[in-house]
Amino acid sequence: MIELDNRQALGAEFQELAEFVLKAAKERGASAAEVGIDKGTGLSVEVRMGKVDKLQYHRDQGASLTVYFGHKKGFASSGDFSRKALEDTLEAACRIARYTAEDEFNGLADPELMAKQPLDLDLYHPWDINADQAIDLALQAEATARAYDARISNSDGASVDSYAGLGVYANTNGFNGLNSSTRHSLSCSVVAQENESMQRDYWYTTACSPAALEAAEAVGKEAARRTVRRLGGRSIPTCELPVLYVPELARGLIGHLVSALSGAAQYRKASFLLDAVDKRIFPEFVQLSERPHIPRAPGSRAWDAEGVATYDREVILDGKVQAYFLGSYSARKLGLQTTGNAGGSSNLLLSHTQSSFQELLQQMGRGLLVTELIGSGINMITGDYSRGAAGFWVEQGELQYPVEEITIASNLKDMYLGIQGIGTDIDPRGSIQIGSILVNRMTIAGQ
Amino acid sequence: MQNAMDYARAEFFAPSGLSEPALAQVFAELLSKDTTLADLYFQAARYESWGLEEGIVKSGSYSIERGVGVRSVCGEQTGFAYSDEISLQALLESARAARAISRAGQSGQVQAWKAQIPSRHLYGLSDPLASLSEADKIDLLQRMDSKARAVSPYVKQVMASLVAVHEIILIVDEQGRMTADVRPLVRTNVSVIVERQGQTESASAGGGGRFDLDYFIKNNRADEFAEEAVRQALVNLDAQAAPAGAMTVVLGSGWPGVLLHEAIGHGLEGDFNRKGTSAFSGRIGEQVASKGITVVDDGTLEQRRGSLTVDDEGTETQCTTLIEDGILKGYMMDRQNAALMGTKSTGNGRRQSYSHLTMPRMTNTYMRAGEYDPQEIIASVEKGVYAVNFSGGQVDITSGKFVFSASEAYLIENGKATRPLKNATLIGNGPDVLTRVSMVGNDLALDTGIGVCGKDGQSVPVGVGQPTLRVDGLTVGGTAA
């Protein structure tokens, strides 16, 4: 089993260590300080072609500290937790702070916003599995994939990962919080060949509780199905048509929204959605909610990276932006209050239009189902979007043949407003919980 | 201290009391009958970075990463464990965990220890973090800020960063070879946001390499980066929608060499070819590029960002010919994949840190110069796209499809580069894109030292380069008909 030994004692030790560092910072004249101390342990096995390929044991730890001298700030980190090393790290942070400039917006978050009550988010579920059992699971997934179709000719392997971690965040506003969590995953990737065409695809399952993982056979089968169906992919003539994003790619569209609405992008004026609050950027049926306290969910957290209590809130209501994603620094820059998003967003839930994936295909009629995107061609300042893609040509709501070596392009502002449907086929694997998204029109560049 | 080995001994052995007899104990634990290779990778890295925004240096950070990775390889199988504590106890624990990959009992020992002295050193031993005073580092960032703002009144935001890294590495392997390396790495970057009549654009420029920070001051390099970022951002303010579809594309020299990195570089890494999952698998000796095209991966260029005196397995880097006169010549290898394919390591075994496993990775990948004047190449195109700058790329090594995203491009009309075009992604097929190269320029240039390559979640610094190229039939992902 991959578990932190004596987790409670270790947590108490780290909380004490954090207090030691904060006190030492004060003694060096810092007006405020914050510290994070983390430790994790993990096992990762990979099999390939029916044999063990890699067996890796992970053991990571790190301490990071920020000191404030008035409005001047310094940061340092180290993987060594001895008191001597921590004092050296603190010294390095203080040295940095001597040279950084006064910035009136620097500082800890307001003490009254700190999370007061510990919440049990049920995020710690160690997996009772040893290396041999993990290898067996990976072998099962790969064997199922390789047996799925005669055209599966090779394998890129299957892997099982299990990780347990513990972290403390403390600051001189009296906050000292302890978190622990686990993360497990099983993935499989195979290669199919037919004539000159060789294709690879994969599937994975991940959850904080091993009970929530998909079965090894299901992962292998899905990896194989996705790989085989890509065989014989071809380019298509350049055209303008609707595009349907599968959930794992639709997640990226909301990820770009989070970046554009982040406090840093807003105060730097580096966003295609500037001053967006109260503006309608989606059709009226689109709702996006932040729900940080869902038990066992991948983005759940009781407090953010500054100890600020997280809370349920609406980001998009009836297509209109309600608020940004702010930490205390960007909030002060914008004259607003932090939204408990230092370190990013928690769980984001997108509404759906009560359409199944099949219904969305029907609704699209003729167009492109996109199942893979490559490259990062997005301009966050203008919203211009241009990415490499692969997927399927769709006629009358039916998949016709695989398509590759194409790009899809538009502008994110137009794509958001052009959303015509959102599926009920929600992918639970990421903190953005989302179904397929149908966009009315994009330029598809091909031959 | 005289050499890298002195640094390594002082860093790793003196404080922990480790010595050759202790290493012998670790290898006795690590080796078994079926071990084909095994190594210990000691690393101590110090990072410092400074960030300017809104005219002031708001942030700075310093971090230390220190630890040892222990690897045991039996043929295709690898066992790996690491520790951030450098002590005999921790090494023995890691060795036991890594050896679990072998089903055979422990047996074997290292016969003799041999310190390897590389035949040449590509960079100095000095600590780049200490190469400028803190005040001078702050000044340098402020100078880039004022330079950028002085170029154009439309500049609204300037963000600049300065990073210095100093690493000490010691590799000890199953044959008793001990190899040390001391690696400096510096990097600066400047990003600007320009605004004109309510319209906003951005661009960035930067560079670096394995030398001291004063490089940025000595040659006015920092000023050049600031000017270049502003120039590109202003060009983009006038950009119109790029065309969509397959067309002739002229790629500029230098950083557009990211084409080679994505289209063919990754596909020629030894691990994918040993497994047969690359679109280039089994194609040595075949024509994969037009005649006259030669592509190399060269880890031996002095002070370049992608260069290494020795790779992360202690093998001296070399200049490996990947494609010669259009014919596929060779793959890039680490020790494990070379042994499995019956060949020798090409000095391409690299890893992000002690806590990551070694893989075959690129160093500096570039195409040798041809004979055409770059102007002649542009003049040869009736209608197409001239792409001079890129923001990055990605490849699917199995299907061979690759993309790279243009951040500065122009329309070519009747042999002349005319209107600037908005950012667009270009997509092609790796195994045949170089067969569509119809003209190679005489202006080979390497990038300014900005490349980061990601593979299996690991990042390493790399370099790319090429002369101006004409490619017939790349798909351009614009929005205009």
Side-chain angles (χ1 to χ4, degrees), chain B residues 436-456:
Chain B
R436 297 161 183 252
V437 173
S438 54
M439 296 170 92
V440 180
N442 57 14
D443 57 340
L444 168 64
L446 299 178
D447 74 285
T448 53
I450 57 174
V452 178
C453 169
K455 175 176 171 184
D456 270 1

Side-chain angles (χ1 to χ4, degrees), chain B residues 250-453:
Chain B
V250 176
L251 299 168
S253 63
W255 178 241
V258 69
L259 161 88
L260 304 172
H261 180 99
E262 302 298 352
I264 66 153
H266 279 296
L268 297 179
E269 287 166 344
D271 45 355
F272 301 128
N273 289 283
R274 189 252 303 172
K275 295 174 183 171
T277 56
S278 164
F280 287 97
S281 299
R283 298 188 61 176
I284 297 265
E286 288 184 24
Q287 182 163 1
V288 294
S290 306
K291 271 196 81 64
I293 289 182
T294 295
V295 180
V296 299
D297 183 80
D298 189 353
T300 71
L301 303 170
E302 272 191 25
Q303 299 193 325
R304 299 293 310 183
R305 181 175 166 84
S307 298
L308 293 172
T309 296
V310 292
D311 74 359
D312 292 324
E313 297 181 306
T315 308
E316 277 191 34
T317 53
Q318 62 183 54
C319 179
T320 306
T321 301
L322 305 175
I323 294 172
E324 188 171 18
D325 199 16
I327 306 292
L328 183 59
K329 283 289 172 186
Y331 301 125
M332 288 167 278
M333 290 291 175
D334 62 353
R335 290 185 63 203
Q336 181 189 15
N337 289 288
L340 290 166
M341 292 182 79
T343 175
K344 281 206 160 69
S345 169
T346 53
N348 287 90
R350 302 185 64 184
R351 62 204 290 175
Q352 180 177 315
S353 78
Y354 71 89
S355 64
H356 297 84
L357 266 175
T358 310
M359 292 183 279
R361 302 294 296 262
M362 284 173 261
T363 59
N364 305 293
T365 313
Y366 61 91
M367 183 188 292
R368 296 207 188 277
E371 58 189 13
Y372 289 96
D373 183 274
Q375 290 310 318
E376 199 181 342
I377 297 178
I378 295 170
S380 75
V381 179
E382 195 175 321
K383 189 165 189 298
V385 167
Y386 177 42
V388 293
N389 236 308
F390 285 86
S391 56
Q394 198 182 335
V395 62
D396 174 337
I397 52 115
T398 303
S399 72
K401 304 298 176 276
F402 70 94
V403 295
F404 54 142
S405 296
S407 56
E408 183 187 352
Y410 302 85
L411 198 64
I412 305 178
E413 295 169 297
N414 301 319
K416 288 201 174 63
T418 57
R419 292 174 289 157
L421 299 173
K422 279 181 179 253
N423 305 354
T425 289
L426 277 58
I427 190 162
N429 182 36
D432 75 22
V433 68
L434 294 188
T435 64
R436 297 161 183 252
V437 173
S438 54
M439 296 170 92
V440 180
N442 57 14
D443 57 340
L444 168 64
L446 299 178
D447 74 285
T448 53
I450 57 174
V452 178
C453 169

Side-chain angles (χ1 to χ4, degrees), chain A residues 13-70:
Chain A
E13 183 194 319
F14 282 8
Q15 286 191 293
E16 208 177 294
L17 211 52
E19 291 301 334
F20 161 79
V21 172
L22 295 177
K23 187 159 164 279
K26 286 280 199 181
E27 283 165 8
R28 280 172 168 76
S31 50
E34 52 190 329
V35 56
I37 299 181
D38 299 280
K39 190 182 179 81
T41 181
L43 166 72
S44 156
V45 304
E46 276 180 65
V47 305
R48 186 178 165 268
M49 301 302 275
K51 289 194 298 192
V52 182
D53 198 57
K54 292 190 186 84
L55 174 63
Q56 301 189 57
Y57 290 93
H58 302 281
R59 207 173 74 169
D60 298 293
Q61 60 177 34
S64 58
L65 23 140
T66 307
V67 293
Y68 298 89
F69 287 80

